[in-house]
Amino acid sequence: MSAMFSWLTKAQSLFSPSASPCLTCGKRISGSSPFPGVCRICAESIPWIRSPRCLKCGRHVGCPDCTRSTEPSPIICNRSAVAYNSDMREWLGQYKYRGNERYALLLGLMLDRAYLTLKKEKQSTLLSREPSIIHRSWSADLLVPVPVSDSRLMERGFNQAERLADVLSRRRKVQQLPLLIRTHHTGKQSFKSRAERLADMKHAFAENPAVTTQFADLMKREVPLNRPVRIIIVDDIYTTGSTIRACAEIIQQIGLDYGYTIEVYSLTWARS
Ligand SMILES: [Zn+2]
Ligand SMILES: [Zn+2]
């Protein structure tokens, strides 16, 4: 069993029926809940983004950023599972900063919902363009987690984005590959100006030389040549989009190098 799946199995076994208290409120779970580890009341409080107001970045409220920007975007769109409210901040904090691994499966399953929504959305677009092709279904070819720096990895012990992508990868049978590496640590982006963020991000990511052959083989094997390659960048949170855009630009460059047209999407657990 690979390391990737052993943590998942471990995580799933933590949700075994032997009534453990709710992961988030600590109360006893009675009856069934749509999500593992949380009680029905907590599950019902999840602020799902069911239909985004901004079709570009998936934001649930009006979005001046996307309407103002005239720059071409390296991603087709971002979709997020939930709006980042105070509850979700607490859940992410438990998972990411306090290292509570039981959240990985829960958050991963929530991200899976966002994937299904994206899939449905893309399928209906395909269908409206080519109504004769009823059987055609949309799915991603590859998941690429946003990498963290080595020092972050040491400190945290895991890459939170990779763990979320693991859940999705296993449920939807879409491969995951660490196509990118983080070349330097950029600090907290939300306190910086737009110009600072852009400058910071420009060299923050690079192609991961360890997987380039694997990537080339995968593309050759998996992707029919009559359509662009669909790659989804996976991360925990979308705030300004600068991280996702920086990653997408590298992926677009890799596509050019290999001679593939790539459609880059991003799926993030929360949209702030
Ligand atoms: Zn609860
Ligand atoms: Zn937007």
Side-chain angles (χ1 to χ4, degrees):
M1 188 187 283
S2 74
M4 185 190 289
F5 291 155
S6 67
W7 81 260
L8 255 178
T9 311
K10 201 174 84 189
Q12 273 160 338
S13 73
L14 291 170
F15 294 119
S16 57
S18 54
S20 48
C22 171
L23 195 52
T24 73
C25 71
K27 292 193 184 117
R28 238 184 80 92
I29 299 178
S30 55
S32 66
S33 170
F35 281 94
V38 291
C39 71
R40 180 165 284 280
I41 292 166
C42 288
E44 278 168 3
S45 74
I46 295 172
W48 297 109
I49 301 178
R50 291 198 170 83
S51 45
R53 284 271 297 276
C54 179
L55 292 176
K56 190 75 199 174
C57 70
R59 207 169 184 182
H60 48 292
V61 290
C63 179
D65 296 357
C66 294
T67 40
R68 194 174 50 208
S69 173
T70 50
E71 300 160 30
S73 171
I75 64 164
I76 303 277
C77 64
N78 171 72
R79 288 295 178 266
S80 305
V82 296
Y84 196 49
N85 66 8
S86 58
D87 283 346
M88 296 301 103
R89 183 176 298 122
E90 174 62 26
W91 292 21
L92 186 64
Q94 285 288 339
Y95 170 48
K96 194 168 160 179
Y97 302 114
R98 301 183 66 182
N100 188 342
E101 293 193 40
R102 290 180 65 195
Y103 277 87
L105 182 61
L106 171 65
L107 270 51
L109 291 175
M110 290 167 72
L111 190 72
D112 183 52
R113 276 212 185 178
Y115 176 75
L116 290 183
T117 308
L118 174 68
K119 190 177 160 78
K120 227 192 216 163
E121 204 181 308
K122 300 307 291 182
Q123 255 160 222
S124 66
T125 315
L126 281 180
L127 216 64
S128 67
R129 270 192 219 139
E130 297 168 75
S132 57
I133 309 170
I134 293 165
H135 64 274
R136 179 176 285 194
S137 81
W138 190 98
S139 70
D141 300 309
L142 183 67
L143 305 172
V144 176
V146 169
V148 294
S149 65
D150 287 347
S151 60
R152 242 323 127 70
L153 200 59
M154 290 279 280
E155 169 194 316
R156 205 171 281 163
F158 62 98
N159 173 354
Q160 73 282 357
E162 194 178 276
R163 294 259 162 121
L164 298 180
D166 283 348
V167 177
L168 203 60
S169 170
R170 195 152 92 139
R171 280 180 78 84
R172 300 298 153 201
K173 310 278 179 286
V174 177
Q175 276 219 42
Q176 172 184 188
L177 206 60
L179 194 58
L180 304 174
I181 49 169
R182 193 145 198 152
T183 48
H184 70 263
H185 180 62
T186 46
K188 205 163 168 53
Q189 292 300 303
S190 45
F191 295 127
K192 294 180 184 168
S193 73
R194 186 180 146 78
E196 281 173 322
R197 280 197 311 266
L198 289 177
D200 242 17
M201 279 298 165
K202 214 165 169 83
H203 307 288
F205 302 98
E207 183 178 358
N208 180 1
V211 302
T212 46
T213 331
Q214 228 179 315
F215 175 70
D217 290 348
L218 177 80
M219 291 299 102
K220 245 179 267 163
R221 201 176 58 236
E222 297 280 326
V223 181
L225 293 170
N226 56 0
R227 64 156 176 83
V229 179
R230 298 165 187 152
I231 295 183
I232 298 185
I233 300 172
V234 175
D235 207 1
D236 49 3
I237 185 160
Y238 184 113
T239 304
T240 64
S242 56
T243 303
I244 297 291
R245 275 193 297 276
C247 290
E249 271 159 18
I250 308 278
I251 293 173
Q252 295 287 4
Q253 188 53 51
I254 296 172
L256 288 178
D257 294 347
Y258 284 92
Y260 293 114
T261 310
I262 297 184
E263 284 181 351
V264 186
Y265 298 82
S266 70
L267 266 187
T268 46
W269 172 73
R271 178 69 174 91
S272 75

